[in-house]
Every structure is written in C-alpha cells, then in structure tokens.
Amino acid sequence: MISLLSPLVHATQDYMPAGLILSLAAAFVVERSYMSAYRHEFVGTLLMISFTFSAGKWFGTDSQNVEWLAHACGGVASHFIWGGPPVNPAPSP
C-alpha cells in the first residue's frame, strides 16, 4: 500500500498536503466500507477548521476576548450545522 501511495504523494505534494492524500487511504479500507464515515469526518473537519480558525485572522484582531468568542461560536456553529461530535475527528468513535 505504501509503495502505491508514494508516487502519488510525490507527484501531488506541490499542490496539496501529503497528509490529505494519505488520509484518503482510510476511506478505502475493507472495500470502501468506511467511505461514508470518512466523508462525514472530512467535511466536518473542513467546517471545524474554517469556522474556528478564522478567529484572530478576520475576527477579533484587536481584542482577545472577541477572538475567543468568535472561536467558541465557530465551534458551536460547526457542531450544530454538521450534526454533533463527529465534526471533530479526534474524539469520534
């Protein structure tokens, strides 16, 4: 499996992060039986990153309290929009 992914990683490393390419391998374990879970986690992770990491960059640049409030609201919004705890891949079952 690693020998199959290595040329792909080297060919695309200038365009996208290697971790993203390697994470795709998890979607194809056991004949794609985890594809729906992978898709759910992937979209949820994109939501979490876009909603929580915008704090400090676009919101709250002058105030740390506003930055943390925007970060907290972003986390709550991403959980609410995408359906709960599976938004964050670290604690997912």
Side-chain angles (χ1 to χ4, degrees):
M1 181 72 134
I2 300 293
S3 62
L4 293 173
L5 286 174
S6 181
L8 178 66
V9 170
H10 288 296
T12 59
Q13 68 185 358
D14 294 335
Y15 306 105
M16 62 178 56
L20 178 63
I21 298 166
L22 295 175
S23 75
L24 284 171
F28 297 101
V29 173
V30 191
E31 299 176 2
R32 293 184 170 188
S33 63
Y34 295 106
M35 181 62 90
S36 64
Y38 175 81
R39 189 179 314 114
H40 188 75
E41 294 285 342
F42 184 75
V43 173
T45 300
L46 289 178
L47 277 174
M48 182 64 78
I49 290 170
S50 62
F51 281 4
T52 59
F53 291 139
S54 60
K57 179 107 174 139
W58 297 301
F59 305 106
T61 56
D62 297 329
S63 170
Q64 188 175 14
N65 290 335
V66 174
E67 180 181 345
W68 279 104
L69 182 62
H71 180 79
C73 290
V76 170
S78 61
H79 280 271
F80 180 75
I81 290 170
W82 198 240
V87 170
N88 190 354
S92 294

